[in-house]
Amino acid sequence: MFASRRISWLHVRAIKTGLSINMLNLGHVLEALTDYRATSAEPVITSVVIDSREAIPGCLFVAFVGERHDGHDFVADAFNRGAIAALVSRLPETDDVNIIDTRQGHGEMPDRLPAYILVEDTLTALQDISAWWRSRFNISVTGITGSVGKTSTKELASAVLSRRFHTLKSSGNQNNEIGVPLTLLKLEPQYEQAVIEMGMYELGEIARFCELARPQVGVITNISPVHLERLGSIENIVRAKQELVEALPEDGIAILNRDDDWVMGMAQHTNARVFTYGLDDRADLWASDISSMGLDGIRFQLHYDNDSMNLRIPLLGRHSVHTALRASAIGLAQGMSWPEIAAGMSEMSSQLRLVAAPGPYGSILIDDTYNSSPESALAALNLLQDLDGRRVAVLGDMLELGTAEWQAHRRVGLRAAEVADILVTVGPRSHIAAEAAVSAGLPRARVIQVNDAPEAVPVLLDLIEPGDVVLIKGSLGMAMDRIVSALGRDA
């Protein structure tokens, strides 16, 4: 059993200082953008929203110009729902508005509300406000990035940290240029830790997130050809993810995957202390004796500093061991004891994004529809192999793989032939997987190809039998969750 001791060099928990930290208010917003000096007596902002339908009394509405909608068209709706201010880059045609023009760096509290806060660019302004607000809190921030496993790591790490600390975490999939600042603006005085998921679509994006969040701990999950279509090469993906460890301070900690050569190469690009995890016994923290218990979770042995501990956690699939290792490393970084870390992982009440649900005719649906990549698809198929019953794999296209598209789908198809009794592919790219499965020996009669999710539903209703285990997985753009919803209604 691990000793219940703190590891001093890993302990980077920030201590509260004498800063006067109040709830976010309208004066704070103006101070972040102008020469205005806020007081605690000014109107409190109850939330920051980008959808007018989510506006509540006292909120700040941020108007973004999107591909299909312009948020400026919905400012009036936000005001009607109780917003006290709107961050805008253009004004309405009517003259009956109260305007705070911040573009010259000057601002003053309006004499009446609601008010328009005019800025050059609403995204830049939102990010600047969040950076200013985060700077008022002397807390420890953990940033998490990588190609696969960011959200599951965030959720499990938050569960671990919450055993001791008041912990803020990114909500849902708020890991982009809008989601990260919205998360930071939820900081309140009671929080001691924050866990921020950082997604990426282009070079420089994670560096900007680090300017906003100022992480002391950085976690890299793995590197795979997700977003290869956007970034052009695996080397560019590495460079983009590496921005997190490059931004860490000297007294910070870079938590790196010892099993991923691309990730380990980042150790040369950080001034922070490097802490490794993985299945390799050369890692600082490593796991062995992994056993899947199907829908009952996983069991494994954890090793650190000449000690070992047996753990059982309610997460599905052997790949979840890496998630547990990352969460454990984050707990260590904050000086937590092993009993606290183990308790946090064991008490996870949800299965994160991969869940088991009742299917039609007494079948079981394994819902892994949030997104897909070669690595996560292979991990899901490995889980399917561990389950009893006739195995049905429903695999949708994996998007944004660029030049790796053909090889990635073929690789998944070859593995599906080893695992699945029946394979249903959804989308044109997954036809590559279907043909690969047939070439590997899965009878063509057991391989069904459809064009989209709606077409897959009647096919599955015809072929599913009692006791089947049905894995459903695909990229978000394939809307595979509609298959789960439709089959669930027929359960």
Side-chain angles (χ1 to χ4, degrees):
M1 183 67 176
F2 286 108
S4 299
R5 59 180 175 83
R6 297 187 181 185
I7 299 144
S8 58
W9 66 264
L10 280 174
H11 190 194
V12 298
R13 177 192 172 196
I15 305 299
K16 293 279 187 176
T17 68
L19 283 174
S20 174
I21 300 177
N22 301 309
M23 301 293 289
L24 179 68
N25 66 40
L26 190 56
H28 293 143
V29 171
L30 297 183
E31 182 170 342
L33 299 174
T34 70
D35 57 5
Y36 184 82
R37 291 296 174 263
T39 72
S40 60
E42 286 155 344
V44 170
I45 291 176
T46 54
S47 67
V48 181
V49 301
I50 61 173
D51 185 334
S52 66
R53 295 168 296 183
E54 297 176 359
I56 61 175
C59 75
L60 170 67
F61 174 69
V62 184
F64 288 112
V65 179
E67 293 181 359
R68 291 183 295 177
H69 301 291
D70 185 343
H72 295 81
D73 297 334
F74 301 93
V75 173
D77 181 50
F79 284 164
N80 288 336
R81 295 173 187 265
I84 60 172
L87 202 64
V88 298
S89 58
R90 64 174 174 81
L91 297 172
E93 296 179 358
T94 176
D95 294 330
D96 187 24
V97 292
N98 199 17
I99 303 168
I100 309 167
D101 190 344
T102 69
R103 294 175 298 177
Q104 302 303 315
H106 304 294
E108 60 181 30
M109 188 59 57
D111 54 9
R112 59 188 173 87
L113 298 174
Y116 288 84
I117 303 174
L118 184 60
V119 298
E120 292 287 352
D121 178 79
T122 52
L123 177 59
T124 300
L126 176 68
Q127 293 180 347
D128 289 346
I129 295 166
S130 73
W132 182 90
W133 184 241
R134 186 267 178 264
S135 71
R136 294 170 61 88
F137 295 82
N138 193 15
I139 67 170
S140 181
V141 173
T142 297
I144 300 171
T145 194
S147 297
V148 179
K150 295 184 295 295
T151 299
S152 58
T153 300
K154 173 201 69 178
E155 294 293 336
L156 192 56
S158 299
V160 167
L161 293 174
S162 295
R163 293 292 298 179
R164 180 186 293 188
F165 307 111
H166 290 288
T167 303
L168 173 69
K169 66 178 180 179
S170 305
S171 300
N173 61 344
Q174 289 192 339
N175 63 3
N176 60 11
E177 72 276 12
I178 296 174
V180 170
L182 287 178
T183 298
L184 294 173
L185 287 170
K186 294 177 182 178
L187 281 170
E188 295 180 1
Q190 74 268 23
Y191 288 119
E192 300 168 283
Q193 300 280 339
V195 183
I196 308 295
E197 180 181 342
M198 298 179 178
M200 174 279 302
Y201 287 96
E202 60 187 14
L203 289 166
E205 197 164 15
I206 290 177
R208 175 56 173 161
F209 296 159
C210 291
E211 292 176 357
L212 307 182
R214 294 162 52 187
Q216 291 82 38
V217 179
V219 182
I220 310 294
T221 63
N222 46 52
I223 297 296
S224 69
V226 179
H227 306 312
L228 187 62
E229 191 174 75
R230 292 173 181 265
L231 290 175
S233 70
I234 196 74
E235 289 80 9
N236 279 342
I237 294 173
V238 173
R239 287 175 55 202
K241 302 296 185 182
Q242 187 173 284
E243 290 169 3
L244 173 55
V245 299
E246 290 174 340
L248 296 175
E250 288 187 3
D251 61 348
I253 299 173
I255 298 175
L256 304 182
N257 185 346
R258 186 68 177 78
D259 302 328
D260 189 312
D261 290 340
W262 289 111
V263 173
M264 284 307 299
M266 299 179 188
Q268 308 303 316
H269 298 272
T270 183
N271 293 321
R273 182 84 180 236
V274 172
F275 184 82
T276 62
Y277 69 90
L279 306 185
D280 189 324
D281 61 9
R282 293 172 295 176
D284 295 308
L285 174 68
W286 57 286
S288 68
D289 303 307
I290 301 166
S291 175
S292 172
M293 299 177 290
L295 298 179
D296 293 325
I298 52 174
R299 179 183 286 122
F300 57 96
Q301 194 169 47
L302 207 56
H303 304 269
Y304 176 76
D305 197 24
N306 297 318
D307 285 325
S308 63
M309 178 173 62
N310 291 312
L311 276 180
R312 174 180 172 177
I313 59 176
L315 298 179
L316 301 184
R318 296 169 187 266
H319 62 284
S320 296
V321 172
H322 274 89
T323 306
L325 286 166
R326 291 188 283 266
S328 298
I330 293 168
L332 284 172
Q334 306 303 343
M336 295 183 68
S337 69
W338 283 110
E340 289 175 313
I341 292 170
M345 289 194 289
S346 297
E347 293 179 4
M348 279 295 294
S349 59
S350 72
Q351 283 294 332
L352 310 177
R353 285 179 172 168
L354 194 157
V355 299
Y361 321 125
S363 63
I364 296 174
L365 305 180
I366 305 300
D367 178 2
D368 194 8
T369 58
Y370 175 77
N371 219 332
S372 190
S373 68
E375 284 70 22
S376 65
L378 292 171
L381 287 168
N382 291 341
L383 167 63
L384 184 63
Q385 186 177 38
D386 290 336
L387 303 178
D388 296 329
R390 190 176 67 154
R391 304 181 186 101
V392 180
V394 185
L395 303 179
D397 288 357
M398 298 179 288
L399 307 179
E400 297 187 13
L401 295 180
T403 56
E405 181 177 280
W406 185 88
Q407 182 61 36
H409 284 88
R410 175 173 172 76
R411 183 180 169 203
V412 170
L414 293 175
R415 180 58 177 150
E418 298 174 337
V419 171
D421 298 301
I422 297 176
L423 173 63
V424 178
T425 63
V426 181
R429 297 167 182 84
S430 290
H431 291 343
I432 300 167
E435 292 306 315
V438 171
S439 71
L442 190 62
R444 186 170 290 278
R446 296 184 183 179
V447 178
I448 303 168
Q449 303 178 46
V450 299
N451 294 315
D452 53 31
E455 187 179 341
V457 173
V459 170
L460 289 167
L461 287 173
D462 282 342
L463 69 83
I464 290 176
E465 298 176 355
D468 284 356
V469 181
V470 185
L471 168 68
I472 305 172
K473 186 167 182 64
S475 283
L476 187 61
M478 297 303 296
M480 302 291 283
D481 57 318
R482 297 183 183 180
I483 299 176
V484 176
S485 297
L487 296 181
R489 286 194 296 269
D490 285 291

